[in-house]
Amino acid sequence: MRVVLPDALVDVPSTLDLGEVLVCLRPVGPAHTNGDLWAFVEPDGVALCGDLWYAQCEPYVGSGSVRGLLEAIAEIREAEARIHVPGHGPVGRLGPPGADPVECYLRWLLEEVSRAIDGGLSGERLRACVRARFEEQRQGPRAIDFAVRLPGFLEVTTAAAERDIRA
C-alpha cells in the first residue's frame, strides 16, 4: 500500500480535469467536522459524499454543525447526482426532499434540542432528555431510525445541535 499525503488545500470550489472525467471539489462546513469536502464526478453523475451523508447509518457530527450538515446535504442534493457514495452505508441515492432519513433525523434533533433548551435544559441533562425522546419516537408511526446506530453518536450530535442553537 502506498500512502500519499495531500499537498494542496481545497478551500474554494475547484475542478480537477482527469481527461475524460472532471472531479468537481466542493468544500463545505463546518458540517460533519471542520474542513469538509465532497466531490461530483462528471460525466458519470456521481456524488462522493464522504461523511456528509450516511445511508442507513446514524450520522455523527463531532466538531461540526448540525445546521451546516443540513446545508451540505442540500448542496449535494442540488447536484442531482445519479448515484451517491456515502461515508457509511450502501451506495445509492438520497431519499426525496423531506423524506431522507438523515435529513429527517437532523431536523428532528434540532427541534428537540431547541425544545429542551426552551425548557431550561443544557449539557448532560439536555442530552439525556433528547435520548429519551429519540427512544420514544422510535415507537411511533413515523419513527426515525437507522439500521446502524452507534453508542454515543446521538449524544455527540445533540451537543453539536446545542452549540448551533446557542450560537
Side-chain angles (χ1 to χ4, degrees):
M1 174 170 40
R2 189 179 96 162
V3 176
V4 178
L5 298 176
D7 61 0
L9 175 66
V10 178
D11 56 1
V12 296
S14 56
T15 301
L16 300 174
D17 187 342
L18 304 177
E20 296 179 21
V21 174
L22 294 176
V23 179
C24 306
L25 303 173
R26 300 294 179 247
V28 294
H32 168 68
T33 57
N34 289 318
D36 289 309
L37 176 76
W38 71 279
F40 187 73
V41 181
E42 297 180 36
D44 303 317
V46 175
L48 304 173
C49 305
D51 284 344
L52 296 173
W53 180 63
Y54 293 49
Q56 301 175 16
C57 297
E58 180 179 11
Y60 177 88
V61 181
S63 61
S65 163
V66 174
R67 287 182 176 144
L69 188 52
L70 281 167
E71 290 169 10
I73 293 169
E75 183 177 311
I76 292 167
R77 184 181 296 290
E78 288 173 12
E80 297 182 354
R82 289 195 303 269
I83 196 86
H84 296 88
V85 180
H88 300 274
V91 171
R93 293 187 56 100
L94 284 166
D100 181 77
V102 171
E103 289 174 294
C104 291
Y105 171 81
L106 296 171
R107 284 190 177 89
W108 175 88
L109 188 61
L110 284 171
E111 289 173 15
E112 288 300 321
V113 170
S114 182
R115 185 174 295 127
I117 288 171
D118 289 348
L121 298 179
S122 64
E124 197 65 39
R125 289 180 54 219
L126 182 146
R127 290 188 291 280
C129 173
V130 171
R131 167 58 73 187
R133 294 282 298 139
F134 179 74
E135 297 304 331
E136 286 173 20
Q137 72 78 35
R138 286 182 57 223
Q139 307 307 313
R142 291 191 225 171
I144 301 167
D145 205 359
F146 301 97
V148 177
R149 287 185 296 125
L150 297 169
F153 272 31
L154 174 65
E155 287 73 17
V156 168
T157 302
T158 297
E162 182 179 10
R163 285 192 308 270
D164 282 353
I165 292 167
R166 293 190 186 279

